[in-house]
């Protein structure tokens, strides 16, 4: 059986820089028509020059593929002139609470400071992408952050807000209740709970932010995605770290899912008997919500076994060494 997907998009992707980028970017560029590129570099993407340089680097590494990098800017209080200038070069601005995840130290510390920038973004129709976690107890962080989302939605009623990598039933309800709010959901959060991370022997390669939650949260995410939710789209949050930074004291947060994203999505949608919803989840919802037209590109999957390499250079992927039911037929297998 062949499954054809039109312009698949990864609406939340970490490509890093330098040799890591050379290692991981071609993988996503081969199986997606475009991706939303996260700005949390060692020196965050917060000027036009950094944005242009980063985009150019990505294009260079991905030059053999049809692949559109949808660039984001790291949220800071920005003046109007700058936002007017940067607007046509970005898909949105990504807000991180300070220190909440990998390379987010220069994120927001005081949420009272964000409003003037949000007002301009709303007016200029620049979407706001949010890493929505408080600094509370790890399992409560996403729920606690809903008060911030609520305030943003109330104060900026036409701002397009994207709740990135949602992991809880409460977040799904919040999206349900607000028409101006969209959300991304990762592959791994559709497959694992906290039990998979720490319920048996500890699994550093499944450790990520936000941490995987309870079975009822997993079920709520799956229900929303498999019903073809009109505002929930795929964002892998594929976040590669070298093996020595995962298998150590002080394991870095992030799961590297890029190489297995499409085959495993096909597998879980097939298992749920909802293959009919896959095109919407991996492309159509995003195109509509962000009003984008990705470059023409079709990906074909076939139900032939794919053995996942244990390493992509120094990065261990999700499902390393396992055999998946679906493989990428075209473009050529990675
Ligand atoms: C991401 C990373 O490594 O950049 N890590 C993660 O656990 N998801 C950052 C992020 O999206 O939180
Ligand atoms: Zn991320």
């Amino acid at each position: 059986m062949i499954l054809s997907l039109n312009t698949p998009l990864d609406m939340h992707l970490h490509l890093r820089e330098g040799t890591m980028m050379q290692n991981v970017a071609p993988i996503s560029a081969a199986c997606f028509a475009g991706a939303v590129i996260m700005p949390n570099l060692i020196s965050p993407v917060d000027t036009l020059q950094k944005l242009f340089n980063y985009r150019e680097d990505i294009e260079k590494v991905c030059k053999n593929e049809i692949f559109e990098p949808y660039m984001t800017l790291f949220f800071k209080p920005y003046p109007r002139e700058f936002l007017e200038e940067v607007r046509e070069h970005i898909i949105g601005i990504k807000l991180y609470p300070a220190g909440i995840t990998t390379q987010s130290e220069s994120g927001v510390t005081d949420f009272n400071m964000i409003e003037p920038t949000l007002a301009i973004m709303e007016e200029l129709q620049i979407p706001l992408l949010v890493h929505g976690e408080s600094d509370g107890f790890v399992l409560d962080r996403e729920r606690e952050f809903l008060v911030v989302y609520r305030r943003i939605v109330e104060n900026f009623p036409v701002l397009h807000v994207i709740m990135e990598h949602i992991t809880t039933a409460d977040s799904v309800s919040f999206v349900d209740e607000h028409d101006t709010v969209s959300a991304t959901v990762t592959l791994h959060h559709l497959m694992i709970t906290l039990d998979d991370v720490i319920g048996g022997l500890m699994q550093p390669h499944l450790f990520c932010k936000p941490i995987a939650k309870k079975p009822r949260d997993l079920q709520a995410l799956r229900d929303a995605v498999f019903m073809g939710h009109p505002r929930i789209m795929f964002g892998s949050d594929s976040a590669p770290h070298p093996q020595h930074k995962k298998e150590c004291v002080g394991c870095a947060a992030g799961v590297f899912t890029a190489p297995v994203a499409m085959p495993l999505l096909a597998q879980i949608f097939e298992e749920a008997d909802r293959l009919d919803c896959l095109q919407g989840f991996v492309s159509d919802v995003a195109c509509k919500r962000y009003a984008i037209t990705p470059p023409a590109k079709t990906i074909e999957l076939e139900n032939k076994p794919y053995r996942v390499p244990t390493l992509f250079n120094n990065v261990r992927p999700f499902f390393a060494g396992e055999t998946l039911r679906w493989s990428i037929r075209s473009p050529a297998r990675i």
Side-chain angles (χ1 to χ4, degrees):
M1 181 181 170
I2 306 281
L3 195 59
S4 263
L5 292 160
N6 197 18
T7 65
L9 298 170
D10 181 346
M11 300 308 284
H12 182 132
L13 178 64
H14 297 272
L15 287 183
R16 314 299 192 205
E17 295 161 272
T19 51
M20 179 61 94
M21 187 208 279
Q22 286 165 18
N23 182 21
V24 301
I27 297 169
S28 291
C31 31
F32 291 92
V36 173
I37 312 299
M38 289 298 129
N40 63 329
L41 306 185
I42 294 164
S43 168
V45 182
D46 57 3
T47 67
L48 256 185
Q49 201 51 54
K50 285 191 205 170
L51 189 93
F52 289 153
N53 292 347
Y54 192 31
R55 189 189 167 99
E56 210 175 286
D57 290 347
I58 296 168
E59 281 171 351
K60 228 179 269 167
V61 173
C62 302
K63 64 178 183 307
N64 296 329
E65 306 288 348
I66 296 169
F67 179 72
E68 179 69 29
Y70 294 103
M71 305 305 289
T72 60
L73 200 65
F74 192 97
F75 184 95
K76 288 188 176 167
Y78 290 115
R80 170 182 290 274
E81 309 73 64
F82 175 70
L83 293 173
E84 280 172 357
E85 197 184 353
V86 79
R87 179 186 179 194
E88 62 181 298
H89 304 292
I90 57 173
I91 192 163
I93 300 184
K94 174 73 187 285
L95 186 156
Y96 293 91
I100 203 66
T101 189
T102 310
Q103 286 154 209
S104 61
E105 292 71 21
S106 53
V108 172
T109 46
D110 178 357
F111 278 87
N112 294 316
M113 302 287 284
I114 67 176
E115 302 223 339
T117 307
L118 296 191
I120 306 164
M121 287 171 63
E122 180 178 47
E123 187 191 322
L124 298 178
Q125 297 182 9
I126 301 173
L128 174 73
L129 292 69
V130 184
H131 183 119
E133 288 195 284
S134 73
D135 59 2
F137 176 65
V138 70
L139 288 179
D140 295 336
R141 287 177 190 174
E142 194 167 314
R143 187 175 47 75
E144 288 176 357
F145 198 85
L146 289 176
V147 297
V148 180
Y149 279 125
R150 192 158 285 121
R151 200 162 70 219
I152 294 175
V153 170
E154 278 167 13
N155 291 348
F156 305 98
V158 298
L159 178 68
H160 182 200
V161 178
I162 301 94
M163 300 168 72
E164 294 296 330
H165 43 52
I166 59 169
T167 63
T168 70
D170 294 329
S171 291
V172 172
S173 304
F174 192 89
V175 182
D176 282 339
E177 289 157 16
H178 299 91
D179 290 348
T180 55
V181 173
S182 308
T184 55
V185 171
T186 73
L187 167 69
H188 48 289
H189 290 121
L190 287 171
M191 298 189 76
I192 63 169
T193 68
L194 188 57
D195 255 0
D196 296 292
V197 189
I198 54 168
L201 293 180
M202 205 268 277
Q203 302 298 327
H205 293 284
L206 300 182
F207 172 65
C208 66
K209 302 290 177 71
I211 195 83
K213 303 292 189 310
K214 298 180 183 180
R216 71 174 282 266
D217 296 305
L218 175 69
Q219 197 53 52
L221 292 177
R222 294 172 68 103
D223 288 348
V225 165
F226 296 143
M227 62 80 86
H229 198 292
R231 296 194 302 284
I232 296 185
M233 53 204 159
F234 176 60
S236 71
D237 195 16
S238 179
H241 293 278
Q243 192 172 22
H244 73 273
K245 292 213 169 158
K246 293 292 288 177
E247 299 174 9
C248 62
V249 175
C251 162
V255 186
F256 179 49
T257 53
V260 293
M262 287 311 307
L264 273 176
L265 282 173
Q267 183 167 319
I268 63 172
F269 275 72
E270 183 188 36
E271 282 162 4
D273 203 15
R274 291 321 302 253
L275 274 176
D276 58 315
C277 287
L278 184 54
Q279 175 65 40
F281 183 57
V282 297
S283 186
D284 299 354
V285 173
C287 292
K288 204 161 168 191
R289 296 298 293 169
Y290 274 103
I292 51 173
T293 309
K297 182 172 183 178
T298 302
I299 301 293
E300 286 185 346
L301 298 166
E302 66 182 325
N303 52 353
K304 265 197 184 164
Y306 167 52
R307 191 170 158 78
V308 183
T310 50
L311 281 174
F312 286 79
N313 290 314
N314 61 348
V315 189
R316 192 173 164 89
F318 193 46
F319 275 68
E322 298 196 34
T323 300
L324 312 184
R325 275 217 307 279
W326 289 83
S327 55
I328 294 171
R329 175 168 186 258
S330 127
R333 185 179 298 191
I334 32 171

